[in-house]
Amino acid sequence: MTTAPYELRPLTVPASVDAPDAADFLAMVDVRNEIYREISDNDDEAATAAQLLPHFQENPDNDKRSWIVIVGDDVVGRVIVDIPAEEGSQVAYWIIELLERVQGRGIGSELLGVVEDTARKAGRTVLESWAEHPEPHPGAPTERLAAPTGFGTIPLDRPARYYRRHGHTLEQVDRKSILEIEPSLSTVTAMQAEALVHAAGYRVEQWTLPVPDRYRESFAWAKSRMSTDAPAAGLEVDEEVWDLERLGRHEARYLEAGQTVLVTAAVHEASGHVVAFNELCSGADPTATSQQMDTLVLREHRGHRLGQLIKCAGILRWREIAPQSPRIITWNAEENRPMLSINEAIGFAPAAYIGAWKKVLG
């Protein structure tokens, strides 16, 4: 195949969205939102430039390398390679996203060479990437791929064929789910009351960022456990170290973006430590879809309905904080049946499936 002409330009990350050199960053955000709209046929994952900018600025926990893809005079895609700073890490995370109108021209295949070269120069031997695989229209014939975990399948669509053609293997399937908030409230209230009966010895605490001083240390420890306690299938996952400085950097990115993050935590009464948490996050638009981010119950505290308790308490409080947001979007590994069972009982409905892909570099 002869690759169509294009330009790959390193992304300039400005100091602010109003800076003289912000044009490429603004164009990157616009094309990101357009690509996600093409994939999902909605704006549930749309973001503003001000919201994304803090996540692209210098970060000692992760080296983000970013480019924009240009065809003619138009920005038509983006490439990102994330290099985690964990000691001994062998993983690089990447995305290549292109508008539909420039797909099938060989551009994506060439860009993957840039991704692999970047990873190798950073001393990484494993590439990992996630892609949404929308369900085909009803009645359309399609072959499906099953996750090796035994949980979840995706259609063998263009992204799946691209990954397989370039030596990647499907390791895990995640479910993207949507909750319409208002119709769920009576169910959520009842489920919260039910969970409280089983949660003796624990209490619920809630805050919006920043984390209160008395919980900062144990919350940072709980955040680090996302890298070890969440289902990872055959993916390479670095064990993250979260100290108070890293927690502060994490908070600053969301606060600088003008976002509200609600943390609902289960605190172990005997120790006073955070042992489970759920995060809900707003966008810049108060009427937009909210996102449920990390949710975790530490392994040693499972079996007390803490996941159900914090999810329900979070949704009820979120209705007060963001009353105009109509729905919540979340992602879970298909094999994470305890969390998915809670989501399903609350009223979360499947919206799409995400393939987690891996390649070991030769």
Side-chain angles (χ1 to χ4, degrees):
M1 175 187 294
T2 301
T3 304
Y6 68 94
E7 177 189 352
L8 182 65
R9 187 157 76 211
L11 177 66
T12 297
V13 179
S16 74
V17 296
D18 299 318
D21 60 350
D24 278 1
F25 188 83
L26 298 177
M28 182 277 293
V29 175
D30 285 344
V31 79
R32 170 204 180 272
N33 290 340
E34 187 176 352
I35 290 167
Y36 288 7
R37 190 178 306 118
E38 287 182 344
I39 294 170
S40 300
D41 198 28
N42 59 51
D43 288 317
D44 281 344
E45 295 179 65
T48 66
Q51 181 179 330
L52 290 180
L53 180 57
H55 300 276
F56 279 79
Q57 290 172 330
E58 188 173 350
N59 177 7
D61 306 310
N62 180 66
D63 181 7
K64 185 181 292 290
R65 320 275 181 92
S66 306
W67 298 262
I68 53 174
V69 184
I70 302 164
V71 172
D73 295 324
D74 299 328
V75 176
V76 298
R78 64 180 190 158
V79 180
I80 299 173
V81 181
D82 285 305
I83 310 292
E86 270 66 42
E87 185 176 354
S89 175
Q90 291 299 304
V91 182
Y93 302 104
W94 65 276
I95 59 172
I96 295 172
E97 296 174 336
L98 297 170
L99 290 171
E100 289 177 356
R101 64 183 175 84
V102 297
Q103 294 177 15
R105 302 184 184 185
I107 297 173
S109 294
E110 284 203 1
L111 293 175
L112 188 55
V114 175
V115 168
E116 293 188 2
D117 185 57
T118 302
R120 286 192 175 96
K121 288 180 178 177
R124 304 307 161 106
T125 59
V126 178
L127 295 178
E128 293 181 350
S129 178
W130 284 258
E132 183 169 323
H133 300 269
E135 289 299 305
H137 295 296
T142 182
E143 183 181 347
R144 302 191 70 84
L145 294 176
T149 60
F151 294 88
T153 67
I154 59 169
L156 184 58
D157 55 8
R158 172 178 281 182
R161 293 193 298 272
Y162 169 85
Y163 281 108
R164 297 217 304 181
R165 186 167 65 251
H166 293 289
H168 292 69
T169 56
L170 178 66
E171 298 294 337
Q172 189 177 52
V173 171
D174 292 343
R175 182 190 303 186
K176 181 169 82 171
S177 304
I178 300 287
L179 177 72
E180 299 295 335
I181 299 174
E182 186 64 33
S184 75
L185 292 179
S186 61
T187 298
V188 172
T189 300
M191 289 180 62
Q192 181 189 34
E194 177 191 2
L196 279 168
V197 175
H198 299 271
Y202 301 88
R203 70 176 185 270
V204 172
E205 295 281 358
Q206 294 179 293
W207 59 79
T208 55
L209 294 184
V211 179
D213 288 346
R214 65 186 178 278
Y215 295 128
R216 294 185 71 80
E217 188 170 339
S218 63
F219 181 69
W221 168 243
K223 285 288 284 185
S224 75
R225 294 282 294 272
M226 279 296 300
S227 63
T228 59
D229 287 18
L235 298 168
E236 298 284 338
V237 179
D238 298 323
E239 183 173 354
E240 296 180 351
V241 177
W242 281 67
D243 54 18
L244 296 184
E245 288 75 20
R246 182 168 185 166
L247 177 60
R249 293 190 293 269
H250 166 79
E251 293 172 323
R253 286 192 289 274
Y254 287 94
L255 294 172
E256 289 169 11
Q259 293 179 269
T260 298
V261 178
L262 170 69
V263 178
T264 300
V267 176
H268 184 228
E269 295 275 17
S271 66
H273 293 164
V274 172
V275 298
F277 69 94
N278 169 262
E279 298 168 321
L280 288 167
C281 180
S282 72
D285 179 357
T287 67
T289 298
S290 302
Q291 292 194 6
Q292 184 170 267
M293 301 191 302
D294 288 349
T295 300
L296 184 71
V297 179
L298 301 189
R299 284 197 183 105
E300 57 270 29
H301 291 274
R302 292 173 183 173
H304 302 280
R305 304 281 180 94
L306 298 183
Q308 179 175 327
L309 179 62
I310 59 177
K311 279 177 176 279
C312 292
I315 292 167
L316 294 175
R317 181 73 182 104
W318 192 247
R319 196 56 172 166
E320 300 171 2
I321 291 173
Q324 294 176 278
S325 180
R327 65 186 66 86
I328 297 170
I329 186 171
T330 190
W331 295 262
N332 299 92
E334 272 293 316
E335 67 267 32
N336 191 355
R337 291 310 313 171
M339 283 297 181
L340 278 174
S341 295
I342 297 169
N343 286 350
E344 291 163 355
I346 287 172
F348 279 92
Y353 294 92
I354 314 299
W357 298 86
K358 172 182 170 181
K359 179 178 182 178
V360 178
L361 296 175

